[in-house]
Amino acid sequence: MVLEKLESTRKRLESTDDLAKLFKQADKSELKPLTYLLSGRISPAFTGIELGVGDKLVEQAISLSSGKTVAEIEKSYRKTGDLGETGRIILEKKTQTTLSSHSLSVKKVFDNFLKLATTSGEGSQEAKVKLLAELLNNSSAVEGKHLIRFATGRLRTNVGEATIIDSFSTAVAGDKSVSKKIERMYNLTSDLGLVAKTLFENGIAAVEETTPIVFSPIRPALAERMPDSAQIIEKIGECIVEGKIDGFRLQIHKKGSEIKIFSRRQEPMTHMFPDLVKALNEQIKEKEVILEGEAIAFDERTCQFLSFQATIQRKRKHGIAEKTLDVPLRLFLFEALYLNGVDLTSEPYEKRRKTLEKIVEEEKNAGGAKTIGLAKAVYAKKPKDIDDFFEECINEGLEGVICKDLKAPYTAGARKFAWIKVKKSYSGSLQDTVDAVVIGYYFGKGKRTEFGFGGLLTAIYSPAERMFKSIARIGTGFNEEQMQFFSDTLSKIKLKGKPDDVDSLVEPDVWVEPKVVVEVVADEITKSPMHTAGKTKAGDGLALRFPRFIKVREDKTPEDATSEDEVLEMFEMQKQR
Ligand code: AMP
């Protein structure tokens, strides 16, 4: 089975070729499901369809398929620490005694998992157990292991989106020469399955012609950093400088009166923001638009932006109506990406911003405080213009500014100098915070023992190697509520040992799956023999000096964490300052 081979190789080239072969041989109807399954998903994030199968359900399915009791399965699980491995051992014994085993098709696997993800209501639990057990009945023991890992979200194929894209290119062109074109379509649609279908059915020309699709989120453009305003002007010349709002980033899709709102990770969020939906319908009259902005809690009486902690209360599943009243939001738009059939992503920013100004009925036209406005902006010709506006923004309670290249297209899914951020620095600290992934935690001493939590071991991410590399042990910045949160959250994803995609010399008390992203402030980046971030073969790694926890970045996936290259750049920038 291909998954077995992929899991055992970390060499990107080999797996790219294996995957290319697989896609070439695949039946047309299998392309989409195969792509989703390989990326560990059942559907693109924006559909909101998630597998979310718990260990209990899997144990019941193994039991149903093997005749072993759940207690026996749990006993083995405690030994292996890996439910997939437990499944393999148990199914192995079973296949020695039975011979009936049909071979599983991609379609069957996909269909069953899709049903599993979408079944709800009375009796759904048993139905789900049956769906998984049916797959286990028809698979070999090794296949069973992968099916179980897939179901629990722990499939370690080592193939990321970049590898899948390279393999698409290899399948149609023999090498990576069309990867960039394929990646562009992925960045515009966030749907790798659709990319596969378009490419293999209609060819690379169809991929190139793709424009944004309403209700299919565009992957976010990201901001670079620079040491000071003089260097920013030198780099991009005259620019638009906007206030940097510390709320959460939202992408708005509107067709007629239907509105969908997506998070930075392309998850559907519409149901959480009835107030924004209402305001969007009132203030935006265009038929079809894709817009982007930052939502933040706002105190109407004092006209003050509220903290991120206040804003985050609006990200909730229950009690939405009450919170809408308690914590009203404002949405500050900063991008117009699509308008009535016209793709704006390739237009220069200056033009997009002007279009945005026309689209939004702002306060000045309508009177009264409106929920939706534009991010405040000025033109800057010289460094002082940036510095003055920065001061003004900080005084208003904003996080800093973002300088935007007038001529740049929207850099979907990429960090380019089209946007350069300048953040408020905590005194004597690094200019920017680091978004690090939690790879382990420590038990506390003293008061902290009661929480079973005393600190985090964190890492940054190397996309090239697909590895998380340690950068800091964080022991400060947590209040009791946060300690409780970490103790609850991390104990659910703890591992028996260091996972394969983690590179760390430091040992925490407990290793965890690299899943949770935290924002960290530190005094500086220093060389360190203990940490592996930015480490060369002979030399030292890099560490954060005096790291303090700021907040959990729920809006970031582990792969969105600060990258190794960014940390190296920040280290260089620090020397220049
Ligand atoms: P960072 O998360 O520090 O890399 O900064 C980039 C983030 O700033 C974006 O992802 C947005 O969520 C946020 N942001 C706030 N205001 C703006 C703005 N005016 N333009 C672009 N991004 C903004």
Side-chain angles (χ1 to χ4, degrees):
M1 190 171 175
V2 193
L3 293 182
E4 181 77 354
K5 199 161 167 208
L6 288 178
E7 197 179 77
S8 61
T9 168
R10 272 217 159 267
K11 276 195 255 120
R12 170 120 174 239
L13 235 177
E14 211 176 296
S15 48
T16 307
D17 286 342
D18 289 342
L19 278 181
K21 261 186 235 141
L22 186 68
F23 284 114
K24 262 172 130 169
Q25 288 161 2
D27 191 78
K28 282 216 165 100
S29 66
E30 286 177 349
L31 286 165
K32 254 188 164 182
L34 186 61
T35 306
Y36 295 139
L37 291 177
L38 282 169
S39 36
R41 301 200 61 90
I42 196 71
S43 182
F46 64 83
T47 60
I49 300 174
E50 301 286 343
L51 256 181
V53 175
D55 288 353
K56 280 273 156 321
L57 194 149
V58 174
E59 288 165 7
Q60 284 168 14
I62 301 175
S63 164
L64 187 63
S65 166
S66 66
K68 289 262 183 283
T69 65
V70 169
E72 283 170 299
I73 293 159
E74 278 177 352
K75 192 169 160 215
S76 157
Y77 182 20
R78 275 196 295 278
K79 246 189 252 157
T80 61
D82 172 352
L83 203 46
E85 194 51 29
T86 283
R88 188 189 63 76
I89 295 166
I90 290 174
L91 295 170
E92 201 129 74
K93 288 191 191 129
K94 173 194 154 194
T95 38
Q96 284 165 1
T97 51
T98 51
L99 282 171
S100 76
S101 170
H102 319 272
S103 99
L104 273 179
S105 69
V106 168
K107 199 168 172 312
K108 179 70 191 162
V109 173
F110 182 78
D111 285 351
N112 273 33
F113 277 128
L114 189 62
K115 270 188 217 148
L116 227 158
T118 49
T119 304
S120 63
E122 212 182 312
S124 63
Q125 215 53 19
E126 292 107 83
K128 288 181 183 196
V129 171
K130 274 193 196 140
L131 283 163
L132 182 57
E134 187 192 1
L135 293 180
L136 296 180
N137 283 341
N138 293 311
S139 67
S140 69
V142 170
E143 285 170 333
K145 175 177 83 179
H146 293 296
L147 290 170
I148 291 166
R149 286 193 180 158
F150 181 85
T152 52
R154 293 184 202 123
L155 183 70
R156 304 196 201 103
T157 56
N158 298 330
V159 295
E161 285 144 7
T163 309
I164 296 181
I165 288 171
D166 283 343
S167 75
F168 287 169
S169 174
T170 308
V172 296
D175 56 26
K176 292 187 203 164
S177 57
V178 294
S179 289
K180 276 269 166 297
K181 293 173 179 171
I182 298 171
E183 190 186 343
R184 177 189 160 275
M185 177 173 175
Y186 174 53
N187 284 332
L188 285 183
T189 59
S190 307
D191 187 347
L192 264 187
L194 180 68
V195 173
K197 189 170 152 54
T198 310
L199 177 67
F200 292 105
E201 286 185 8
N202 307 319
I204 190 75
V207 167
E208 275 181 275
E209 282 160 17
T210 305
T211 53
I213 302 166
V214 181
F215 302 140
S216 205
I218 298 169
R219 300 187 70 232
L222 306 172
E224 270 286 357
R225 306 171 182 82
M226 288 201 96
D228 58 46
S229 54
Q231 293 190 45
I232 295 176
I233 294 287
E234 198 180 312
K235 179 93 189 169
I236 60 174
E238 184 185 356
C239 54
I240 292 180
V241 190
E242 292 177 358
K244 187 173 190 301
I245 300 142
D246 189 17
F248 35 80
R249 185 173 185 163
L250 298 177
Q251 200 172 91
I252 317 295
H253 289 233
K254 175 176 186 283
K255 192 182 232 162
S257 60
E258 189 178 1
I259 289 175
K260 285 191 185 171
I261 301 179
F262 300 101
S263 72
R264 189 186 183 285
R265 298 169 64 160
Q266 296 90 44
E267 301 133 325
M269 312 280 284
T270 321
H271 58 287
M272 288 187 198
F273 307 117
D275 46 343
L276 296 185
V277 171
K278 180 165 173 275
L280 285 160
N281 263 321
E282 281 164 10
Q283 284 182 259
I284 293 171
K285 302 288 183 237
E286 302 289 349
K287 276 217 168 73
E288 262 190 307
V289 287
I290 302 178
L291 307 172
E292 210 173 23
E294 190 92 355
I296 186 167
F298 191 80
D299 187 330
E300 304 289 343
R301 279 168 306 149
T302 58
C303 283
Q304 292 258 315
F305 294 110
L306 296 182
S307 68
F308 184 80
Q309 273 64 34
T311 306
I312 198 74
Q313 296 182 51
R314 287 295 307 272
K315 269 200 175 170
R316 53 174 53 230
K317 293 198 177 101
H318 308 288
I320 290 171
E322 297 90 80
K323 272 291 169 216
T324 304
L325 293 175
D326 280 3
V327 188
L329 288 181
R330 287 277 178 98
L331 174 63
F332 294 93
L333 296 170
F334 52 75
E335 276 290 354
L337 300 172
Y338 185 83
L339 176 63
N340 301 330
V342 182
D343 172 15
L344 301 176
T345 57
S346 45
E347 299 286 354
Y349 183 59
E350 193 172 21
K351 188 166 170 200
R352 297 202 303 279
R353 172 91 199 186
K354 292 213 165 107
T355 308
L356 183 62
E357 283 164 12
K358 281 192 214 133
I359 293 175
V360 187
E361 274 190 31
E362 274 208 279
E363 208 170 330
K364 53 182 180 287
N365 311 322
K370 289 272 174 179
T371 302
I372 293 157
L374 261 61
K376 62 185 266 167
V378 293
Y379 274 85
K381 282 203 168 65
K382 42 185 199 310
K384 184 163 186 311
D385 300 339
I386 299 179
D387 297 339
D388 289 348
F389 187 65
F390 178 83
E391 279 299 316
E392 184 185 320
C393 287
I394 297 296
N395 289 337
E396 278 178 31
L398 295 176
E399 201 190 8
V401 297
I402 301 199
C403 304
K404 298 188 171 175
D405 185 339
L406 298 179
K407 300 169 293 300
Y410 185 79
T411 55
R415 190 179 304 281
K416 294 271 168 68
F417 285 95
W419 289 5
I420 305 170
K421 61 179 164 182
V422 189
K423 287 218 282 211
K424 172 177 69 186
S425 63
Y426 303 77
S427 64
S429 70
L430 263 180
Q431 193 206 9
D432 197 3
T433 51
V434 170
D435 294 322
V437 183
V438 178
I439 55 173
Y441 66 98
Y442 297 89
F443 298 127
K445 290 205 189 74
K447 181 148 185 48
R448 292 175 177 204
T449 34
E450 76 184 69
F451 297 103
F453 173 81
L456 301 170
L457 179 63
T458 63
I460 47 85
Y461 182 59
S462 159
E465 295 167 62
R466 294 183 59 68
M467 290 293 269
F468 296 96
K469 304 185 176 186
S470 82
I471 191 161
R473 180 177 169 168
I474 309 170
T476 48
F478 311 101
N479 61 28
E480 291 196 357
E481 201 182 319
Q482 288 160 340
M483 284 195 254
Q484 191 65 56
F485 166 83
F486 280 117
S487 152
D488 294 348
T489 311
L490 298 177
S491 63
K492 281 192 200 118
I493 53 170
K494 67 181 175 205
L495 297 171
K496 282 231 157 150
K498 181 162 68 72
D500 293 345
D501 51 359
V502 166
D503 180 6
S504 173
L505 302 169
V506 185
E507 289 251 347
D509 289 336
V510 185
W511 293 102
V512 297
E513 287 172 47
K515 274 203 168 144
V516 180
V517 181
V518 291
E519 186 175 350
V520 187
V521 66
D523 281 7
E524 58 176 349
I525 299 174
T526 53
K527 287 204 168 162
S528 151
M530 291 307 293
H531 288 287
T532 49
K535 192 179 171 80
T536 52
K537 277 213 176 79
D540 279 341
L542 296 175
L544 298 180
R545 185 156 184 264
F546 298 132
R548 279 96 70 196
F549 166 80
I550 303 183
K551 66 186 179 220
V552 177
R553 292 281 316 237
E554 262 180 68
D555 58 335
K556 289 203 163 183
T557 65
E559 289 77 16
D560 293 331
T562 303
S563 70
E564 184 168 39
D565 285 348
E566 286 180 81
V567 173
L568 287 164
E569 270 168 35
M570 287 166 80
F571 185 57
E572 285 305 311
M573 262 169 46
Q574 176 182 292
K575 285 192 209 154
Q576 287 180 42
R577 294 171 100 221

